[in-house]
Amino acid sequence: MSESRAALRYAKAILDMAKENNALDAVEKDMRSIAATISDSKELKDVLANPVVSGTMKKNALLEIFKGSHSITEGTINMLVDNKRLAMLNEVALKYIILNEQLKGKDVAYVTTAVPLDAAMEKKILKKVAELTGNEVTIESKVDESIIGGFILRVGDLQYDASVSNKLSNLKREFSNSL
């Protein structure tokens, strides 16, 4: 089973549990915090992916970092440690956010660009994504200079990569295959 499908299953289970406990928004707040923290910290990503660091140490560090989180969130961390799936915590958090937004009749469009989006461009993206999905859309934008130019747009499980770095990679792959 791919990591993405496994993350989606965990996210659905967490969503169901949060729904039963009337904690959808509290858990979403925690998941947004987890996703932002892991995305912004290369060191944390490395520790979570490092097989040498014990699961207990990872769990204790995460529970300390996210102290005050909802019990469902803490249970998620414990479950992922027990199942040796802690490396996918960020993906589980992102999938949960997407599922919860869809439950509210909204979609989240994640846009990664090399430079910050201006208001006019953000408006165009919102309009186009709303047309395509038929749902109300909010934008989460992120700046990543490594994509050189262009953008990467992700809505739900769909991703459109129009970055310069992706195009260069494709050209490199085509060139090396033709030799």
Side-chain angles (χ1 to χ4, degrees), residues 70-130:
H70 195 278
S71 59
I72 292 173
T73 306
E74 291 177 359
T76 299
I77 293 170
N78 289 324
M79 178 179 54
L80 290 172
V81 168
D82 294 344
N83 295 340
K84 297 181 179 19
R85 297 284 193 137
L86 196 55
M88 72 164 71
L89 176 61
N90 189 45
E91 191 169 358
V92 170
L94 291 172
K95 298 277 186 204
Y96 177 90
I97 293 165
I98 291 166
L99 290 172
N100 195 36
E101 289 293 328
Q102 288 173 342
L103 191 65
K104 296 177 193 173
K106 299 178 183 176
D107 274 328
V108 179
Y110 295 94
V111 181
T112 305
T113 55
V115 295
L117 286 175
D118 62 3
M121 186 56 74
E122 199 168 298
K123 206 179 223 182
K124 279 184 182 177
I125 293 170
L126 275 172
K127 184 179 176 195
K128 190 65 176 174
V129 174

Side-chain angles (χ1 to χ4, degrees), residues 7 9-10 37 40 43 45 75 79 85 90 99 107 120 130 141 162:
R9 286 186 179 168
Y10 280 109
T37 303
D40 293 345
E43 294 83 13
K45 276 186 219 170
M79 178 179 54
R85 297 284 193 137
N90 189 45
L99 290 172
D107 274 328
S141 62

Side-chain angles (χ1 to χ4, degrees), residues 139-155:
I139 285 189
E140 296 267 333
S141 62
K142 177 178 153 186
V143 175
D144 181 0
E145 294 173 0
S146 70
I147 69 168
I148 304 170
F151 65 93
I152 301 170
L153 173 67
R154 197 175 83 229
V155 180

